Amino acid sequence: MAARGQTAWMVDGFVKGTQESGHEVNVVSVCRKKINGCLACEYCHKTGNGTCIQKDGMQEIYPLLEETQMIVLASPIYYHGFTGQLQCALNRIYALDKPKNLKKAALILSSGSDDVYDGAIYEYRKSFLEYLDLEDRGIITSFKEQNGSEEKWQETYETGRNA
């Protein structure tokens, strides 16, 4: 059994709040999937049907992205950015251009320091909120003594309830 860390704990709070508000939630742990980086081959756009030439873990994620109205990105922060696994999945959304029903996004980040979020927040705002024209439903960060605190769990829970 894999260890569960701070980010997963925060996601659990968000999911509980969202489900209690009557929404269906699908959690996709990209760190447990084989997802290759984008090849920049343009197959997805040249064929005109928005499918990626690569057949990997994204095949399970693409249908969810097309159906969902909200995406929540969650990642521990390493070197001021998302994990490599999440970054690969984010880049591969390019095949869809803009998922047709996607309207909202939120961001959950955890770290051991409070001065490491700028890179991930910049990408979230530019690549998701602005480029995909999404409504921001919140950015939640947690570090050091906040990790595992009742206050932080309550914040993620309430953000989920109000998503």
Side-chain angles (χ1 to χ4, degrees):
M1 181 99 187
R4 290 181 45 86
Q6 177 64 24
T7 307
W9 178 78
M10 292 168 64
V11 167
D12 289 345
F14 188 94
V15 167
K16 183 173 175 119
T18 304
Q19 288 174 331
E20 286 183 7
S21 291
H23 299 286
E24 180 182 335
V25 178
N26 292 297
V27 176
V28 178
S29 182
V30 297
C31 66
R32 304 213 187 321
K33 299 196 172 304
K34 175 153 178 31
I35 299 174
N36 298 314
C38 179
L39 298 172
C41 67
E42 288 296 326
Y43 175 87
C44 55
H45 297 123
K46 289 178 186 173
T47 63
N49 62 8
T51 60
C52 182
I53 197 166
Q54 298 185 80
K55 305 303 177 212
D56 59 12
M58 283 300 290
Q59 301 313 303
E60 176 187 332
I61 298 169
Y62 284 135
L64 295 173
L65 283 168
E66 286 290 75
E67 295 172 9
T68 193
Q69 295 177 4
M70 181 173 181
I71 186 170
V72 178
L73 305 179
S75 180
I77 296 299
Y78 304 134
Y79 298 104
H80 302 269
F82 299 125
T83 62
Q85 299 94 329
L86 180 57
Q87 191 63 59
C88 285
L90 296 177
N91 290 345
R92 294 279 299 284
I93 293 174
Y94 176 72
L96 301 176
D97 191 29
K98 180 182 181 198
K100 61 184 170 188
N101 294 311
L102 191 59
K103 305 285 186 254
K104 302 184 279 187
L107 181 63
I108 297 173
L109 303 172
S110 65
S111 181
S113 173
D114 67 342
D115 191 31
V116 296
Y117 301 116
D118 291 348
I121 290 172
Y122 177 85
E123 182 168 355
Y124 167 72
R125 287 185 174 144
K126 293 294 181 183
S127 297
F128 278 81
L129 300 183
E130 288 182 26
Y131 182 75
L132 296 176
D133 192 28
L134 302 177
E135 175 188 344
D136 184 13
R137 300 303 295 161
I139 298 172
I140 305 166
T141 61
S142 182
F143 67 96
K144 288 187 185 176
E145 63 277 347
Q146 294 176 341
N147 292 337
S149 71
E150 177 60 33
E151 293 82 14
K152 193 51 65 174
W153 193 91
Q154 192 65 35
E155 179 184 353
T156 60
Y157 170 81
E158 290 299 328
T159 302
R161 277 183 36 119
N162 296 315

